[in-house]
Amino acid sequence: MICNFINNQSVESHSERQQPVYDPATGEIQNHVKLSAKAEVELAIQVADKAFKTWSTITPLNRSRVLFRFKALLEENRNELAEIISREHGKVFSDALGEITRGLEVVEFACGIPHLQKGEHSLNVGTGVDSHSLMMPLGVVAGISPFNFPVMVPMWMFPIAIATGNTFILKPSEKNPSAPLFLAKLLKQAGLPDGVFNVVQGDKEAVDTLLQDERVQAVSFVGSTPIAEYIYSEGAKYGKRVQALGGAKNHMLVMPDADMNGAVNALMGAAYGAAGERCMAISVAVTVGEETGDALVRLLQDKLATLKVGQGYGQEIENDMGPLITKEHKQKVSGYIQQGVDEGATLVVDGRELPLAKSSDGYFVGGTLFDNVTTEMTIYKEEIFGPVLCVLRADNYQQALKIINDHEYGNGTAIFTADGDAARDFTSKVQVGMVGVNVPIPVPMAFHSFGGWKRSLFGPLHMHGPDGVRFFTRMKAITTRWPESDIKSGSKESTQTQAEFVMPTMK
Ligand code: NAD
């Protein structure tokens, strides 16, 4: 039974509700997770609230030293952690290692917190008056994470949250809940005091408790758009600071002058890596001109014949992609493929026909390619979150740009071209939060911030980087005037010689 981690200890849940955790490669149940009841989440909040009183007073340098030790432990244990990710998620071992690296980079960023949390200072904002700002921690903060990055997404949140002096409660996805517990144990080993980082397993009941409890000051969420919208409005209703990252439909614009082999290789990884279960996966290629579209589809079709699909775990495994997360998700993705056919798109490669997809009890769907997709089709409008790539044909650049800008999601996008002017125009005019130029998955590094536009993000602040520090701190502005000192001048005079009833202005 997979448990909670509260106050630096594994805590068995007494909830009456539980659910199986599957091995997506075989369809077998490998464990169960208890879905925490309200009172169990409240215990974690109470513990975190108590821990905040001391953790927030520890010097930033000492907080960052804990993170330095955590970073070293992560590096030592990365293979074991990647195996845990891969067994519950299904992604291939090398991809799981990549996920850990991208999370680790946020830890490295957070190690610099004494610098990042310095605030600002102005001398003489008025005669004899100085002003400075403090970036104060908020208190107890919560993170709610999706199944597709069980380590990286929580690590977009908690290293910065705890480095800035907050205490943290993580509610991981109930589909693959083990990896965050491994992180909790490493944090304890790194010397993190009791109650600073806690994990509660669960579903809506646990999430609602975090959203509604007045001791929780902020909620950082990553998941699908309908739930992100709910978290944002419900969190705001209870007076919380919220950042809620949602779903995506990421387009790659392929111009006629693009390096076609480079674009095809980039598309293969971006569309089919992690079986398309990435919020930055490219699920739409928009080609400009008939020849570009024909060449791209032909090359993709050839490459798809070599895509290696199979079990993800095991360090020796050399597959390109693994199974989907659940049986229901496999059915959903297969349903979308059928809907694409019914709506009139050209199914060039059908992942349902992959022998493994038919013979295995695991949740495999092969790489799927649609051509001649239009903007009215459901497979274009909705997020499929599987290994399905749609090709849309545009006559010219302006038409392609409009297609991308008209989509309701705006997480990531890319342009593949040899033309600097087209790339420059694209980066300034496209209505999307993260943009790549000849880079298919433009996930910003940890010292920049990650976030989409439109219905891919609710809330003003992006994740990690400078926005991450802003999200987990609140500013205090201090204006100081000292009476003239008699030690210095020999006489003491009042600085406020008379009452002033007009709005104060600096002199
Ligand atoms: P999900 O929305 O189903 O679940 C996310 C979290 O919300 C989980 O912890 C889950 O337990 C919780 N949850 C689910 N239903 C809830 C409810 N009714 N009330 C309260 N909480 C609830 O998402 P998922 O399937 O785990 O993850 C895939 C989705 O996440 C995709 O849409 C993907 O695009 C998105 N995602 C976005 C980003 C991003 O950066 N924008 C990153 C990763 C994943």
Side-chain angles (χ1 to χ4, degrees):
M1 184 65 68
I2 298 168
C3 49
N4 292 333
F5 193 90
I6 299 172
N7 218 14
N8 263 346
Q9 283 174 32
S10 294
V11 179
E12 220 177 286
S13 165
H14 298 294
S15 167
E16 284 166 7
R17 297 187 308 121
Q18 64 179 51
Q19 75 174 50
V21 176
Y22 294 95
D23 176 347
T26 63
E28 284 165 15
I29 293 176
Q30 52 177 326
N31 214 329
H32 284 86
V33 60
K34 287 269 188 179
L35 305 172
S36 301
K38 187 173 171 42
E40 294 171 311
V41 181
E42 284 173 344
L43 171 69
I45 298 172
Q46 187 190 325
V47 159
D49 195 36
K50 182 165 172 244
F52 176 71
K53 291 177 180 61
T54 41
W55 178 245
S56 56
T57 63
I58 286 172
T59 63
L61 200 55
N62 280 328
R63 293 200 296 256
S64 86
R65 283 178 182 144
V66 174
L67 287 170
F68 267 111
R69 290 193 290 272
F70 176 57
K71 166 183 146 58
L73 287 166
L74 266 175
E75 282 163 346
E76 272 169 41
N77 293 278
R78 69 165 81 202
N79 283 353
E80 194 179 340
L81 182 57
E83 196 70 12
I84 296 170
I85 295 172
S86 183
R87 277 190 184 274
E88 287 189 356
H89 176 284
K91 66 177 72 175
V92 296
F93 181 80
S94 53
D95 191 28
L97 280 178
E99 151 167 17
I100 296 168
T101 300
R102 293 311 299 259
L104 207 143
E105 286 162 4
V106 183
V107 181
E108 290 169 334
F109 172 73
C111 283
I113 211 67
H115 171 71
L116 296 164
Q117 208 178 349
K118 274 194 310 214
E120 294 166 331
H121 188 275
S122 297
L123 188 69
N124 272 338
V125 293
T127 308
V129 181
D130 304 332
S131 188
H132 71 279
S133 59
L134 301 174
M135 297 173 81
M136 308 293 286
L138 306 173
V140 180
V141 297
I144 299 155
S145 56
F147 81 84
N148 67 323
F149 285 110
V151 161
M152 184 186 78
V153 167
M155 280 165 66
W156 284 352
M157 305 167 178
F158 75 77
I160 297 175
I162 61 180
T164 46
N166 302 285
T167 53
F168 195 89
I169 300 172
L170 176 66
K171 205 302 286 170
S173 169
E174 59 277 43
K175 292 173 191 149
N176 50 354
S178 295
L181 294 173
F182 191 82
L183 295 178
K185 285 172 193 155
L186 293 187
L187 281 165
K188 179 180 180 177
Q189 221 179 313
L192 193 71
D194 295 353
V196 176
F197 180 78
N198 308 277
V199 181
V200 289
Q201 310 290 357
D203 59 1
K204 183 170 167 54
E205 182 171 342
V207 172
D208 284 344
T209 308
L210 292 168
L211 287 171
Q212 291 165 12
D213 194 294
E214 64 178 19
R215 290 166 293 183
V216 177
Q217 304 297 317
V219 174
S220 185
F221 171 88
V222 178
S224 60
T225 289
I227 309 299
E229 276 184 304
Y230 169 73
I231 302 282
Y232 188 65
S233 61
E234 191 73 359
K237 193 164 103 194
Y238 286 90
K240 300 200 186 333
R241 184 180 286 209
V242 186
Q243 57 179 182
L245 277 62
K249 196 83 182 175
N250 305 313
H251 300 65
M252 182 197 280
L253 199 172
V254 185
M255 293 292 284
D257 63 353
D259 159 15
M260 200 49 77
N261 282 324
V264 167
N265 284 330
L267 261 177
M268 286 298 295
Y272 303 114
E277 290 175 324
R278 287 184 186 142
C279 63
M280 289 292 274
I282 296 284
S283 49
V284 181
V286 186
T287 56
V288 171
E290 206 176 315
E291 279 174 28
T292 315
D294 291 347
L296 188 88
V297 170
R298 199 176 53 247
L299 288 166
L300 282 169
Q301 188 175 6
D302 291 348
K303 285 264 174 191
L304 270 168
T306 65
L307 187 72
K308 285 185 275 172
V309 184
Q311 175 198 311
Y313 48 82
Q315 293 187 33
E316 66 297 341
I317 288 290
E318 287 182 352
N319 290 322
D320 298 319
M321 69 176 232
L324 293 168
I325 184 73
T326 58
K327 191 175 179 180
E328 294 72 33
H329 194 50
K330 175 177 173 169
Q331 282 162 355
K332 189 175 164 192
V333 172
S334 303
Y336 272 120
I337 298 173
Q338 188 53 47
Q339 201 166 357
V341 174
D342 296 344
E343 288 181 337
T346 311
L347 184 54
V348 182
V349 181
D350 186 351
R352 297 171 302 179
E353 292 301 317
L354 182 83
L356 190 63
K358 290 177 158 178
S359 64
S360 167
D361 289 330
Y363 314 133
F364 295 98
V365 174
T368 299
L369 179 64
F370 276 110
D371 194 6
N372 301 311
V373 175
T374 65
T375 52
E376 293 78 39
M377 294 179 184
T378 311
I379 54 165
Y380 173 70
K381 288 195 269 196
E382 295 183 8
E383 180 183 43
I384 298 175
F385 221 53
V388 180
L389 177 64
C390 297
V391 177
L392 264 79
R393 311 279 192 124
D395 295 333
N396 54 49
Y397 165 76
Q398 294 300 345
Q399 197 186 26
L401 179 65
K402 183 169 176 351
I403 289 173
I404 300 172
N405 283 347
D406 285 349
H407 204 285
E408 64 170 344
Y409 291 121
N411 212 40
T413 189
I415 183 169
F416 272 64
T417 182
D419 187 316
D421 185 42
R424 186 168 177 273
D425 192 76
F426 184 75
T427 53
S428 73
K429 293 195 180 138
V430 75
Q431 299 296 303
V432 173
M434 294 170 280
V435 185
V437 176
N438 298 316
V439 172
I441 306 186
V443 174
M445 291 295 285
F447 33 93
H448 290 266
S449 298
F450 179 108
W453 284 13
K454 299 190 272 188
R455 284 166 58 75
S456 293
L457 183 138
F458 303 87
L461 292 174
H462 291 198
M463 226 164 256
H464 66 64
D467 264 13
V469 179
R470 286 181 204 114
F471 183 76
F472 287 116
T473 55
R474 66 180 127 218
M475 278 282 189
K476 187 180 274 185
I478 295 157
T479 308
T480 308
R481 180 192 340 231
W482 291 103
E484 201 164 315
S485 156
D486 53 354
I487 297 173
K488 199 181 81 202
S489 64
S491 68
K492 189 170 188 172
E493 278 179 30
S494 172
T495 48
Q496 191 88 40
T497 48
Q498 58 190 52
E500 282 181 16
F501 298 98
V502 294
M503 180 65 193
T505 55
M506 288 298 178
K507 299 178 178 82

